[in-house]
Amino acid sequence: MLGWQDPRELIEVLPHKEAQAIQKNLGYRTVAELLEHYPRRYSRHGDIGDLEHATEGDTITFLGTVTSAQVLRTGRKTRLQLRVAHETRSLSVTYFQSSYAQRVLSEGAVVMFAGRLSFFRHAPQLVQPNFYILQPGPHSSARGGEGTGILKAIAAYGSSASHIKQQLLDREYLPIYPATAKLASWRIMAAIHHVLEKTPPIPEPLGTPPAGLPEFDAAIRGVHEPGEEGPDRYIERLKYHEALALALVMALRRADNQRRRAPQCPRKDGGRQEQLAQHLPFELTRGQRDVVSEISTDLATDTPMSRLLQGDVGSGKTVVALLAMLQVVDSGRQCALLAPTEVLATQHARSLLSLLNQCGVAASVVVLSGSMSTAAKRESLLAVISGQADIVVGTHALIQDGVEFFDLGLVVVDEQHRFGVEQRDRLRNQGRDDLIPHVLVMTATPIPRTIAMTVFGDLSISNLRELPRGRQLIQTTVVPVERTSWLARVDERIREEVAAGRQVYIVCPRIDNDGGVVDYYHAVTGPGGVFADLSVGLLHGRLSGEEKDLVMRRFHRGDLDILIATTVIEVGVDVPNATMMVIREAENFGISQLHQLRGRVGRGSHESLCLLLTEAEVGSPAHQRLLAVQSTTDGFLLAEEDLRFREEGDVLGTRQSGHTRSLKLLSLLSDVQIIQRTHKDAARLVKDDKSTALRLAAQDYHPDYGYLDKS
Ligand code: ADP
Ligand code: MG
């Protein structure tokens, strides 16, 4: 964590078995990693609030005195029925066929129970919970310390019963940790307690703690073992720390960006940019004009542009990018346009060329894709290196593979809001004569301000909210598939659309298996299939680049009536004559994804229709997501809605990457004030004391950014 490391191995500090269990179940090896495993919540003893708010199935802890213990028999089966009370609250506890429990749990015993809560006629009960005897009953043969399962694990520390009592009983707030089936919260708690005891006071990493917040050492201890004051202040301090780490990276990058130089590409009178603008087959929207002029100003200076362009699906980002690129081409430099998929890269190249041709603008556009033949690739590469290619279109791999440009002035990154700092850093080495190219990142998934600040704190942001005029309405309808009559109607509707001369997308959530594109394609096009008489194409990620390209081209030309595809068509694909989309098993997709998919229709002069086929039950979160998509086509609204259903890991793109999440406590959505504060604090620190800023950031490993480059 920022400015603090504790590389001691857990093996050195904890009993062997516990250290191993932690490594195996949580993947932690060092003390710092374990100490950053923060409680998910806290429970308070015999806290009726907790009990009342707990619902069926919650794991709860209850500490109390056994007020009655009865062994009941039915035939040969026995059942121990306990009543356990703490002050005014009581709970029933049942054990079946347990002679051990019958022997050691007796009236008067003080016992801690941990188990799953259930309700019997509205009365709370625990069935077969784990238990730990803190004080045996007066007439019992138990000595205290008897127990089962997880509670017993605490004894691994060789502590006496009274020590455990102190640990468990005297705490006002009991931390409940994210746990696994094999490693219960209790064992984690005991391990962390032990580690904290063996950890000397941690020096304040920031020199002095931020005003109004506790010291770092107090915060780390307090978050795990808060006193009567509760954990809130400590959590806030640690959130501040997490936010500051992100903010520092951005502040340092901003400072660094200011220092670097980019090629100056001023607007040229009578240039190709102007020529395109004058001959476009449509009028630019006001939003488009504003953004073009913002970008144009940026490009004219030698401060590297870092701009994020957010614009809903269909808002016309491509032409904005092309106008920007032509300004750079006008000053004799090259541009790269990066797309997330090959399908999109080829389509981009095609639509750029067609716009250029329509407007009579001469600029050479070259495609570079992984699946090109070696010869074709060599030819493209040559054009790139020699400077013959003005605009190079490819996938993000273009950058990863370190393609060399003759003189790269601008990089446009399309549909990639996860195009993180690291990737952008690679671009820096691409320029010529120590100049770094300008960067424009485009996305149709708007990002809330706080997230933009943290993830893209070094980018300026432009928004494109309005859609070009004449955009057609998309009527969206959720269709429950259990109604066979509706399903038949869907197929009929598809045929009507085709009969009217339009084209239809059918999207499936997977390639193989039941419900996959391959099966579905064969079922509907094979002998007797519903679309056997129509011209149907199949598109998915496993096809070769050439095959994909061929299918897309046929669909574009109108040779195909129906395109059955996976989400490879999710972004960017632009076929105005396609007016209907059917998404099968729509519950498999998130809101933003559905919105993106739907954006493939409604692009021409005809009204469009999107059907969301689903098995999701009414009222389930999945069904609610679909209703949200049905209710509006406003991408900004849907993006917010989407965030409510998702975790931030998703937003940051760290969840899939296999890294542990970097943010443990901070919520990018709700901790707005902390984020804003650290944003300012980081900027000040970088300005006033850059070496400290660098030192702090250098000690912080961020899964998205790696260790910050100190150079
Ligand atoms: P996105 O922002 O989703 O990438 P595109 O750039 O693909 O959107 O634009 C979608 C379609 O709208 C394209 O066919 C494009 O030519 C067209 N378009 C762009 N700007 C305008 C405009 N101002 N008026 C009419 N059509 C436009
Ligand atoms: Mg696009």
Side-chain angles (χ1 to χ4, degrees):
M1 196 193 253
L2 186 70
W4 170 64
Q5 285 170 324
D6 192 335
R8 280 179 300 160
E9 302 250 340
L10 289 172
I11 297 274
E12 303 165 37
V13 185
L14 292 176
H16 212 80
K17 193 164 152 237
E18 297 307 296
Q20 270 179 336
I22 287 168
Q23 166 145 24
K24 194 156 159 233
N25 290 286
L26 300 175
Y28 303 147
R29 272 190 31 243
T30 66
V31 163
E33 285 171 330
L34 180 63
L35 291 184
E36 285 183 55
H37 190 75
Y38 302 123
R40 180 160 50 84
R41 61 184 182 88
Y42 301 83
S43 97
R44 304 175 80 166
H45 290 305
D47 191 343
I48 196 76
D50 196 44
L51 241 189
E52 258 174 4
H53 292 121
T55 51
E56 183 95 25
D58 283 358
T59 299
I60 63 150
T61 310
F62 191 84
L63 171 74
T65 307
V66 177
T67 54
S68 80
Q70 278 180 288
V71 178
L72 306 170
R73 282 169 219 282
T74 359
R76 285 167 53 200
K77 302 216 167 108
T78 63
R79 166 162 67 101
L80 174 64
Q81 191 63 56
L82 305 176
R83 192 88 224 147
V84 185
H86 176 85
E87 291 172 3
T88 58
R89 305 126 198 186
S90 74
L91 188 71
S92 104
V93 176
T94 311
Y95 291 94
F96 294 102
Q97 302 283 81
S98 168
S99 53
Y100 178 59
Q102 285 174 25
R103 184 160 55 76
V104 296
L105 291 171
S106 63
E107 212 171 297
V110 180
V111 185
M112 173 166 273
F113 297 93
R116 274 184 186 219
L117 184 67
S118 55
F119 289 88
F120 182 67
R121 297 200 178 123
H122 301 293
Q125 61 168 5
L126 293 173
V127 178
Q128 309 279 77
N130 281 302
F131 67 88
Y132 191 87
I133 300 185
L134 294 152
Q135 192 188 305
H139 311 294
S140 162
S141 58
R143 282 163 315 177
E146 287 88 348
T148 56
I150 54 178
L151 296 186
K152 219 169 160 184
I154 291 165
Y157 292 88
S159 319
S160 64
S162 73
H163 183 65
I164 286 177
K165 182 173 171 208
Q166 180 209 325
Q167 254 202 67
L168 300 184
L169 296 190
D170 300 348
R171 286 210 207 168
E172 185 76 15
Y173 290 84
L174 270 181
I176 309 293
Y177 290 98
T180 68
K182 294 248 167 70
L183 187 69
S185 173
W186 293 95
R187 271 173 90 179
I188 301 170
M189 181 183 90
I192 286 177
H193 177 75
H194 191 76
V195 166
L196 283 174
E197 279 190 332
K198 304 244 162 185
T199 301
I202 302 168
E204 174 58 50
L206 304 181
T208 47
L213 291 174
E215 296 258 353
F216 185 77
D217 182 68
I220 281 280
R221 290 173 203 276
V223 74
H224 293 292
E225 306 188 336
E228 277 174 13
E229 73 285 6
D232 295 354
R233 308 282 300 141
Y234 307 123
I235 292 174
E236 202 182 333
R237 168 68 213 261
L238 294 171
K239 281 181 174 180
Y240 177 94
H241 222 72
E242 287 181 2
L244 186 68
L246 294 172
L248 265 180
V249 174
M250 290 306 160
L252 284 165
R253 288 180 52 86
R254 264 198 315 272
D256 183 55
N257 215 30
Q258 296 298 322
R259 236 185 27 187
R260 306 225 188 193
R261 290 292 152 257
Q264 260 179 294
C265 306
R267 240 196 151 109
K268 201 164 126 196
D269 281 340
R272 283 175 273 194
Q273 184 195 42
E274 198 180 295
Q275 206 180 342
L276 187 91
Q278 280 168 0
H279 295 94
L280 280 174
F282 44 74
E283 202 178 321
L284 291 180
T285 63
R286 217 182 124 187
Q288 283 173 319
R289 281 203 307 273
D290 290 347
V291 175
V292 167
S293 110
E294 273 174 332
I295 295 173
S296 176
T297 311
D298 283 358
L299 294 174
T301 74
D302 65 352
T303 303
M305 174 175 79
S306 281
R307 188 170 285 281
L308 174 67
L309 170 55
Q310 304 190 136
D312 205 352
V313 181
S315 59
K317 296 183 290 293
T318 316
V319 65
V320 170
L322 182 57
L323 285 165
M325 290 194 285
L326 287 178
Q327 182 168 331
V328 172
V329 171
D330 276 339
S331 52
R333 306 195 188 246
Q334 294 172 291
C335 302
L337 172 58
L338 309 185
T341 62
E342 289 197 5
V343 169
L344 194 51
T346 8
Q347 148 141 358
H348 261 323
R350 204 161 24 237
S351 54
L352 293 185
L353 274 172
S354 114
L355 260 179
L356 290 167
N357 285 339
Q358 272 181 64
C359 304
V361 175
S364 84
V365 177
V366 158
V367 185
L368 253 181
S369 84
S371 60
M372 280 163 75
S373 73
T374 323
K377 210 169 173 176
R378 190 174 308 130
E379 197 181 324
S380 290
L381 279 172
L382 200 66
V384 177
I385 294 180
S386 66
Q388 218 181 343
D390 296 320
I391 296 174
V392 183
V393 186
T395 59
H396 299 132
L398 206 67
I399 292 303
Q400 255 99 53
D401 298 349
V403 171
E404 269 183 59
F405 287 82
F406 177 68
D407 190 357
L408 184 59
L410 167 67
V411 179
V412 180
V413 184
D414 192 25
E415 297 299 355
Q416 181 64 307
H417 60 283
R418 285 178 192 158
F419 194 76
V421 168
E422 208 178 320
Q423 285 113 312
R424 278 185 276 138
D425 270 343
R426 296 229 176 96
L427 300 175
R428 310 201 141 193
N429 313 321
Q430 301 278 354
R432 200 180 168 200
D433 303 333
D434 283 341
L435 293 178
I436 69 171
H438 298 283
V439 176
L440 175 67
V441 179
M442 307 197 293
T443 175
T445 311
I447 304 160
R449 226 176 79 75
T450 43
I451 294 183
M453 229 159 141
T454 8
V455 187
F456 291 130
D458 56 336
L459 297 183
S460 334
I461 297 180
S462 301
N463 286 314
L464 213 48
R465 274 205 88 139
E466 98 200 88
L467 294 185
R469 254 182 306 141
R471 222 2 82 74
Q472 291 303 315
L473 224 72
I474 306 173
Q475 159 82 40
T476 306
T477 308
V478 177
V479 182
V481 296
E482 68 269 24
R483 308 222 186 157
T484 31
S485 60
W486 288 33
L487 270 186
R489 178 72 193 113
V490 169
D491 291 342
E492 213 176 295
R493 190 70 191 69
I494 292 173
R495 299 187 64 93
E496 284 167 16
E497 205 67 13
V498 170
R502 317 258 187 278
Q503 290 161 280
V504 180
Y505 294 103
I506 301 178
V507 180
C508 301
R510 61 192 79 86
I511 301 180
D512 301 309
N513 303 329
D514 205 24
V517 262
V518 177
D519 272 10
Y520 180 72
Y521 174 81
H522 288 120
V524 296
T525 56
V530 271
F531 307 131
D533 55 329
L534 301 180
S535 169
V536 183
L538 172 67
L539 188 69
H540 57 73
R542 251 201 342 254
L543 299 177
S544 74
E546 271 155 45
E547 288 168 312
K548 276 187 252 183
D549 194 35
L550 183 68
V551 176
M552 263 331 286
R553 217 162 1 185
R554 291 184 62 207
F555 192 64
H556 231 283
R557 274 205 307 258
D559 293 352
L560 297 175
D561 302 316
I562 299 177
L563 182 62
I564 296 176
T566 55
T567 54
V568 288
I569 56 149
E570 186 182 344
V571 285
V573 170
D574 187 19
V575 179
N577 191 45
T579 50
M580 179 172 175
M581 173 172 282
V582 177
I583 303 179
R584 300 175 61 83
E585 298 181 46
E587 67 273 14
N588 284 294
F589 302 100
I591 288 181
S592 289
Q593 211 175 6
L594 290 169
H595 180 60
Q596 282 277 1
L597 281 167
R598 175 173 60 180
R600 299 311 109 216
V601 294
R603 300 184 149 246
S605 51
H606 301 281
E607 271 192 31
S608 293
L609 176 67
C610 175
L611 300 180
L612 307 173
L613 272 46
T614 183
E615 280 179 15
E617 266 171 53
V618 175
S620 65
H623 195 263
Q624 282 170 344
R625 286 202 306 264
L626 300 182
L627 290 183
V629 176
Q630 176 179 273
S631 71
T632 180
T633 48
D634 182 331
F636 278 75
L637 270 182
L638 285 173
E640 269 164 35
E641 196 65 31
D642 195 14
L643 283 165
R644 264 181 248 145
F645 287 97
R646 294 199 300 171
E647 286 177 31
E648 284 136 27
D650 240 0
V651 177
L652 282 168
T654 48
R655 221 175 59 173
Q656 290 95 329
S657 62
H659 291 296
T660 47
R661 269 188 69 187
S662 55
L663 296 180
K664 308 239 162 141
L665 295 170
L666 187 72
S667 158
L668 294 182
L669 294 179
S670 43
D671 292 319
V672 178
Q673 279 173 350
I674 296 177
I675 290 170
Q676 281 170 345
R677 179 175 171 186
T678 53
H679 197 70
K680 283 198 208 108
D681 290 358
R684 193 170 332 115
L685 188 63
V686 169
K687 192 158 153 274
D688 297 347
D689 185 359
K690 190 157 177 199
S691 64
T692 302
L694 280 169
R695 180 179 51 77
L696 283 173
Q699 279 170 33
D700 183 44
Y701 179 79
H702 191 283
D704 283 341
Y705 313 145
Y707 287 103
L708 190 80
D709 182 7
K710 269 157 285 174
S711 62

